[in-house]
Amino acid sequence: MIENNPNNIKAQDLAEMKNVIKQKYGGLTLYFQSYEHVIKTFVSNCEIKGLLSDIQSIKETRENSFATKTLGQITKDFINNVLICQTSANSMEDDDLPDDLDQPHIHIVYKLELSPEYYKSFTTELAELVNLRNELVHCFLKKYPLSSKEDCQLAVIYLDDCYQRFDRHIHQFRQLLESFSDVGDLSAFINTPVIHDYFFHGILPNGEGVQWERSTIVALLKDAETKLNQEEWTSLQCAIEYIKKHRADHSPKRYGCNSWRHVLHESKQFEIRKEPTNGHQSRIWYRSHTK
C-alpha cells in the first residue's frame, strides 16, 4: 500500500497554483500588448498630411515610426496628438500651406476634445494604466516570488485586481469613443476595424483572441437567454436564429470560432447541456454561469 506524502501533496498544490498564475499573467500580458497595438493604430492614423498621391506611403511611414515605441511612449503621443482639453482648443496652430500647390495636398487631423475635468481624470487613468503594466512586467516576481502558498494567493488577488482595473479603463475608453461615434469623419476613424473591434466587441488584434467577458457575441447570447430561456436553459438553435435575425454581423467566424458550440466552450461564460434526439445530433442548451 502506497501512502500519500504530505510534502508531495503540498508541492502539487503549489504547482497547480503556479499554473493558474501563469495563465492569469499570460492573459493579462496579452491584453496589454493588444491594447498597445490599438493605441498605436489610433495615434498613427490621427493625422495624415502630404501629397494626395503619396498618402499610402505616408501612412506606412507613420505606422513604422510608432511601431517600436513602448506603451508609455505611445500613451504620451496619444495624449499630445489625439486628446485636447477644451481650454486649449483655440490654441491649435493654423495649417501651413505648402509653397508648391501644383499637386493636390491633403491634411486630415482627428482630435478628441474633452472638458478640463474629464481630460484630467482620463489622462491620469492612462498614466496609471502604464504604471500598472510596468509594475506587472518588471516587479511581479520581486513582489510575489511564488515560493509559498501565501505568495501565490497574494499573486492571484493582485492579478485579479489588475484585470478589474484594466477592464474599467477599457470600459471608460469605450464610453469615450461612443460619445464621438456620430461625429462626421471622426466616426469613420473610430470605426477603423482594429479600433472598433477591440473597444466595441472585445476582439483582440492580429488574431490574438477575444476578451470573452466583454465581447459582443457573448452579450448577444446572454440577451437571447433572457428572452428565450425555458426553466433557466436556452436552446442554442433558438438563440442562433434570434441573433441572426437581429445581429447577423456577429458570427462565430468573426471571433475565431468554427461554430456556436465552439463559442460556448471557448468563452467559458456558460454551462452547456446536451439533450439526445431521434436524429444524429444532440440538442444543445446553455445558461450563464451562476456567480
Side-chain angles (χ1 to χ4, degrees):
M1 180 177 179
I2 300 175
E3 295 183 359
N4 288 329
N5 186 327
N7 292 330
N8 288 340
I9 294 174
K10 290 180 179 179
Q12 183 179 3
D13 290 344
L14 188 60
E16 290 176 355
M17 293 183 73
K18 286 183 178 181
N19 284 333
V20 171
I21 290 169
K22 288 178 183 178
Q23 292 175 358
K24 288 179 178 288
Y25 185 91
L28 195 58
T29 302
L30 181 62
Y31 285 177
F32 271 109
Q33 288 178 354
S34 300
Y35 175 77
E36 182 177 315
H37 177 83
V38 171
I39 293 297
K40 286 178 179 178
T41 301
F42 218 124
V43 176
S44 65
N45 285 278
C46 74
E47 182 174 10
I48 302 296
K49 181 179 182 181
L51 287 171
L52 185 60
S53 58
D54 296 335
I55 289 303
Q56 187 58 39
S57 62
I58 291 171
K59 290 181 67 175
E60 291 175 356
T61 299
R62 279 185 62 86
E63 289 172 359
N64 292 334
S65 69
F66 292 113
T68 58
K69 290 193 174 186
T70 65
L71 180 60
Q73 292 170 330
I74 203 69
T75 298
K76 288 181 181 179
D77 288 330
F78 178 80
I79 292 173
N80 293 331
N81 298 326
V82 179
L83 300 184
I84 184 169
C85 183
Q86 286 178 348
T87 56
S88 60
N90 295 327
S91 65
M92 295 176 63
E93 296 181 1
D94 293 332
D95 186 24
D96 294 327
L97 294 175
D99 296 329
D100 182 9
L101 289 176
D102 292 338
Q103 298 185 59
H105 287 69
I106 188 171
H107 189 187
I108 301 174
V109 181
Y110 297 105
K111 298 282 186 179
L112 301 180
E113 184 177 343
L114 310 178
S115 68
E117 296 79 12
Y118 194 74
Y119 178 88
K120 181 178 179 180
S121 66
F122 192 73
T123 53
T124 299
E125 177 76 17
L126 284 171
E128 290 177 351
L129 196 71
V130 172
N131 290 335
L132 180 65
R133 182 265 177 193
N134 291 340
E135 183 181 78
L136 183 72
V137 172
H138 301 296
C139 305
F140 180 73
L141 285 179
K142 184 177 180 180
K143 292 180 64 175
Y144 308 103
L146 309 183
S147 57
S148 67
K149 183 178 179 180
E150 288 72 21
D151 279 345
C152 291
Q153 289 173 334
L154 290 173
V156 168
I157 293 172
Y158 169 75
L159 292 173
D160 286 343
D161 180 65
C162 288
Y163 270 105
Q164 292 177 8
R165 292 171 64 183
F166 183 84
D167 284 344
R168 282 198 301 270
H169 173 74
I170 296 301
H171 179 70
Q172 184 181 15
F173 215 137
R174 179 176 174 174
Q175 288 182 316
L176 173 65
L177 296 187
E178 285 176 340
S179 67
F180 287 96
S181 61
D182 296 324
V183 185
D185 291 337
L186 186 57
S187 175
F189 169 60
I190 290 172
N191 286 318
T192 300
V194 170
I195 293 172
H196 191 268
D197 280 351
Y198 182 75
F199 284 109
F200 290 90
H201 303 307
I203 302 172
L204 305 182
N206 298 327
E208 292 175 343
V210 179
Q211 288 178 289
W212 293 108
E213 64 280 0
R214 68 177 191 87
S215 66
T216 299
I217 198 167
V218 165
L220 290 172
L221 284 166
K222 291 185 176 181
D223 179 50
E225 181 182 12
T226 62
K227 295 177 173 62
L228 305 173
N229 79 87
Q230 302 175 31
E231 296 181 354
E232 298 185 353
W233 290 91
T234 303
S235 164
L236 179 59
Q237 186 56 44
C238 291
I240 293 171
E241 293 171 2
Y242 173 83
I243 294 170
K244 284 182 177 179
K245 181 179 179 180
H246 294 87
R247 295 296 300 273
D249 55 320
H250 289 280
S251 64
K253 186 177 180 181
R254 184 173 182 180
Y255 292 80
C257 294
N258 52 35
S259 69
W260 286 95
R261 287 180 62 179
H262 193 187
V263 172
L264 293 179
H265 283 286
E266 284 294 311
S267 69
K268 297 180 173 60
Q269 304 296 306
F270 305 99
E271 295 179 48
I272 304 171
R273 190 185 82 191
K274 295 181 181 179
E275 181 182 276
T277 64
N278 294 329
H280 296 291
Q281 291 185 336
S282 300
R283 191 176 188 185
I284 304 300
W285 298 78
Y286 72 93
R287 68 180 180 186
S288 296
H289 282 302
T290 55
K291 303 233 176 165

